[in-house]
Structures are given as C-alpha cells and as structure tokens.
Amino acid sequence: MAEFFEVRTTIGGREQAAELAHGILFSGLATSIDIAEAPDPAPGREAAGWQLTFIAAGPQVAALERHIRQASPDTPVEAMPVTHDLDSYPGWLTDGQT
C-alpha cells in the first residue's frame, strides 16, 4: 500500500464544501486540503461545484472516503497513490506519518 494518497471529490455548494473540509481537518483524516471551484459542472448538475483534494496517509483513506460519503452520498470519490518521492515534500507533511 502507498504511504500517502490523493483523494478527490466534487461537492455542489461552497458552504457544503467548506463544512466537509472543516470536518475532515478537525477529525485528522487528511494532512492537506485544497478547495477550488470546479471548472465545469458535474454530470447532472447545472452549476459548477467545488473540488476538494486531500492528501491522506494510507491507513486513513477508507475512513476519509466514509466521511465524504456520509456528507454527500452521491458524490464520486477518487483515491490515487502518491507515487513520487516524499523527500521533496515539506516536513509538516511527513512528520509523524511513518
């Protein structure tokens, strides 16, 4: 299993995206969170959503996915292993994550 994963999802509204990110941050399920307005609407939606990208340690990915699905059951969740060298990451990302 990879040490870190990039987990992505798109949420419909700005407040819902902020609430989800806040809950994940305070539950300690992700090391890093990025929120950006999605460039195109998700299939079946008229308005653009908000794309959330998380970096999570491998053992936390399943719990992170569950947390996302509880907040928004129909949203797609993608998890991809981070495959490049972690030596290039800042110390705050890898501290205590062994």
Side-chain angles (χ1 to χ4, degrees):
M1 176 188 268
E3 191 172 354
F4 290 97
F5 283 78
E6 180 178 283
V7 179
R8 290 183 182 213
T9 190
T10 302
I11 300 293
R14 180 178 176 187
E15 285 82 23
Q16 186 181 12
E19 189 175 307
L20 177 61
H22 186 263
I24 288 170
L25 176 67
F26 283 101
S27 65
L29 293 174
T31 302
S32 171
I33 300 173
D34 181 57
I35 303 173
E37 190 169 12
D40 298 314
R45 295 186 185 195
E46 293 180 23
W50 292 83
Q51 185 176 50
L52 289 88
T53 304
F54 307 96
I55 302 295
Q60 296 174 312
V61 172
L64 176 58
E65 287 184 16
R66 279 192 304 275
H67 190 100
I68 293 168
R69 292 193 193 288
Q70 286 175 347
S72 185
D74 297 329
T75 191
V77 179
E78 299 175 2
M80 299 163 283
V82 175
T83 57
H84 44 282
D85 187 5
L86 288 177
D87 288 337
S88 64
Y89 283 111
W92 59 262
L93 180 59
T94 56
D95 285 349
Q97 297 290 327
T98 57

